[in-house]
Amino acid sequence: MNKTDAKERIAQLTTELNAHNHNYYVLSSPTISDYDFDMLLEELMRLEEQFPEFADGNSPTKRVGGDVTKNFETVQHKYPMLSLSNSYSKEEIIDFEARVHKLLEEEVEYTCELKYDGVAIGLTYVNGQLQRAVTRGDGTQGDDVTTNVKTIKSIPLQLTGAGYPEEFEIRGEIFLPRSEFDKINKEKEAAGEPPLANPRNSASGTLKMQDSAVVASRGLDCFLYSILGENLSLGTQYENLIKAAEWGFKAPMPDKKYIAKCKNIEEIMSFIDYWDNARHDLDFDIDGIVIKVNSYDRQQRLGFTAKSPRWAIAYKFKAEQAVTVLNKITYQVGRTGAITPVANLEPVLLAGTTVKRASLHNADQIEKLDVREGDTVYVEKGGEIIPKIVGVEVAKRPSNTPVTSYITACPECDTALERKEGEAQHYCPNEYGCPPQIKGKMEHYIGRKAMDIDGLGAETIDQLFEEGLITNIADLYELTADQLLPLERMAEKSVTNLLNGIEASKNIPFQRVLFALGIRYVGETVAKKLAKHFKNMDALLAADMEELVAVDEIGDKIAESILQHFEDQRNLDLYHRLKDKGLNFELSEEETAGASDRLAGYTFVVSGVFHQFSRDELKAAIEQNGGKNVGSVSSKTSYIVAGENMGPSKLAKAEKLGITIISEEDFIGMIQ
């Protein structure tokens, strides 16, 4: 075959096989036998091997796998992948719907969709071709798993139809069908291998395998349910999913009742009730229903909290329960010194997972349940993730079973426990001498949301601590190759990666370094607010109680914790050591550029469509200049920044309350 014929035949086979894949895995209506499909695929593989210059980067042969990925590159999300607020009661769904009405002050249409129990994925398409697949990660960055995702046959490598944006992202959930999960476990049982725990964990583990050929053999599937981009032509969630199906995606379709438009709370509840019963008939796991405001414009107007969108909520189905025997109660020590009692159980199958341990939370919970060693207990998964004991079958309790006495000394360092007034948990106060606390602080420091140090995990921290090489986070920056190479599992390459990762952490921005320090009550959001307000660590250290509580959303509890933390000379010494090592303890010029306090003390509502800024850019400018954004008009609102098509109810309320309405140009004048 000459080159011209080969090029034409490769293109023809690529188009034909992509169509057959779509018919089989998305539409469930194959038009060709498996044998004939395999013959066409083998022909394409031979031709691509003979004429590699004509092989498409998204060829159907990529579905077979074979590429090996040693390390998955970390990629920044263009749009943050935020989690949804979860609800476990219908009353909270009613409250959500009422809150949306109050904020928008108009009739609202919703979509109700299945909440797939899988692994979140973001797929980027450019000119109709799959360019990149990235996991959720920490919401701001995830792992590039494109090679493995290309083996999932329900994900199109080349889009069909017309009208898709030049570049966009579509998000969804990768899952392992129940039938595939059962099939794999039967094969493992026959081979004498341990079975997979459950479909969700299996999907997650499979997606991070290094050999894409193994990934291809697992039979992963994917539903896509959210489109993001700059120039989306359609204005609603529902319309875009219908269009996504036309482009070749496996999107939830109304004919299978996987999605529905709802006009009121009664229709939302009807959808929830239907799937609470029908979910057991599906070949894939769902753990609830997602309710979204259908209109993109209204979604934008509602905006986001720090962690989740205001325009969506997830209703979680009631957790499954199991009955088993509590063999022994043990106690764990966390990085803050908090003591968590743990129930060690007779193994029991619960929601597809074998459960051996469950949390007992604190002394009050043990007393409330009157749970004792030897009891027959009811176990369920809180949010269907973390097992917990919810009740005791007292009638089955062995006679003369002693009441559980909560421990009085730390199980790790034997220090007497403390319990502060108003707190549920007991604490070990030996912060600098209790091994789990020391190691826990270091594990928190290297975590992905904090310093994100490549080549360094919990096992390595444990190893370095046991070898006496590190006793605090500053010691990490003094490690040398000569110290590390003699250690078990420390080859030259892994040592190089570890040391490079530690060096690279010196570029992590101030707000994340502040979070990484592990100051009690200073989480990600609080760290950002403190960094933005004080600009550098020395200014934060110089602040007194009054100055700290003056920061937006910083209360007495957080302020006291910060002051107490740095009253300890050991924490001050640690900060100075880290500073000397070159870590970032101030905002960069780029982060502080354009920042001011011009809008300090003012509260803004942004409403309508703008020309010079997007709504999000306006909100960012308000915060950068010290102002505060809110979603609804009230007597506390200082200004409304009004664009075209501002909601008439907002306008009427603003006029009634006498709130100043300013234009986009007026706002620009305020911050210049």
Side-chain angles (χ1 to χ4, degrees), residues 128 158-166 168 233-234 242-248:
Q158 171 67 58
L159 301 186
T160 57
Y164 44 78
E166 184 179 329
F168 69 97
S233 57
L234 300 171
I242 299 297
K243 188 59 69 175
E246 294 175 12
W247 298 336

Side-chain angles (χ1 to χ4, degrees), residues 322-330 342-350 354-360 371-372 374-380 387-391:
V323 180
T324 188
V325 174
L326 193 167
N327 293 324
K328 188 174 180 60
I329 297 174
T330 55
V342 177
N344 294 270
L345 308 167
E346 198 64 35
V348 62
L349 190 66
L350 175 61
T354 299
V355 174
K356 299 177 183 178
R357 289 151 62 86
S359 174
L360 284 165
V371 63
R372 309 179 189 185
D375 275 346
T376 297
V377 295
Y378 295 97
V379 185
E380 71 176 36
K388 62 181 179 180
I389 289 177
V390 295

Side-chain angles (χ1 to χ4, degrees), residues 205-273:
T206 300
L207 204 56
K208 294 297 291 291
M209 285 181 167
Q210 292 184 336
D211 188 347
S212 62
V214 179
V215 181
S217 71
R218 283 286 177 91
L220 294 175
D221 205 340
C222 183
F223 273 109
L224 285 309
Y225 49 68
S226 177
I227 300 177
L228 300 101
E230 303 300 326
N231 298 300
L232 302 181
S233 57
L234 300 171
T236 70
Q237 163 77 0
Y238 192 88
E239 287 177 302
N240 270 290
L241 288 188
I242 299 297
K243 188 59 69 175
E246 294 175 12
W247 298 336
F249 293 110
K250 187 170 185 175
M253 286 293 99
D255 59 335
K256 292 188 176 180
K257 299 184 179 178
Y258 292 174
I259 185 172
K261 286 193 283 189
C262 298
K263 295 185 179 66
N264 51 49
I265 194 66
E266 289 77 17
E267 292 182 4
I268 291 172
M269 292 302 173
S270 176
F271 189 89
I272 288 172
D273 290 340

Side-chain angles (χ1 to χ4, degrees), residues 14-23 26-27 63 125 127-130 154-165 168 242-250:
T14 297
T15 302
E16 192 175 337
L17 286 165
N18 278 335
H20 288 312
N21 260 323
H22 179 71
N23 290 337
V26 179
L27 302 180
R63 304 288 197 188
Y125 284 80
N127 296 322
Q129 292 209 331
L130 177 62
S154 56
I155 293 178
L157 305 180
Q158 171 67 58
L159 301 186
T160 57
Y164 44 78
F168 69 97
I242 299 297
K243 188 59 69 175
E246 294 175 12
W247 298 336
F249 293 110
K250 187 170 185 175

Side-chain angles (χ1 to χ4, degrees), residues 541-565:
L541 290 174
D544 58 18
M545 185 74 176
E546 188 178 348
E547 290 172 296
L548 285 168
V549 296
V551 181
D552 185 33
E553 295 183 31
I554 305 298
D556 291 352
K557 192 175 180 181
I558 297 172
E560 284 172 5
S561 177
I562 295 167
L563 292 171
Q564 287 173 9
H565 183 86

Side-chain angles (χ1 to χ4, degrees), residues 11 45 93 121 140 196 213 228 246 255 269 296 313 328 347 370 495 504 510 520 534 600 603 629-631 653-654 670:
M45 290 172 77
I93 301 301
I121 196 75
T140 58
L196 300 176
L228 300 101
E246 294 175 12
D255 59 335
M269 292 302 173
Y296 287 164
I313 193 170
K328 188 174 180 60
D370 185 24
V495 168
F510 173 37
R520 202 168 176 200
F534 291 104
T603 300
N629 290 297
V630 293
K653 192 167 184 179
M670 289 177 75

Side-chain angles (χ1 to χ4, degrees), residues 352-427:
T353 308
T354 299
V355 174
K356 299 177 183 178
R357 289 151 62 86
S359 174
L360 284 165
H361 301 295
N362 52 55
D364 291 344
Q365 186 70 2
I366 289 176
E367 186 179 350
K368 178 183 174 183
L369 294 171
D370 185 24
V371 63
R372 309 179 189 185
E373 291 181 352
D375 275 346
T376 297
V377 295
Y378 295 97
V379 185
E380 71 176 36
K381 287 190 176 181
E384 298 198 8
I385 298 172
I386 303 168
K388 62 181 179 180
I389 289 177
V390 295
V392 177
E393 185 64 76
V394 180
K396 293 184 179 180
R397 174 176 288 162
S399 59
N400 302 319
T401 303
V403 175
T404 300
S405 296
Y406 204 84
I407 58 171
T408 57
C410 176
E412 297 286 343
C413 67
D414 207 35
T415 303
L417 299 182
E418 296 178 354
R419 186 178 186 183
K420 294 179 181 178
E421 188 178 344
E423 299 226 354
Q425 285 181 298
H426 288 72
Y427 286 87

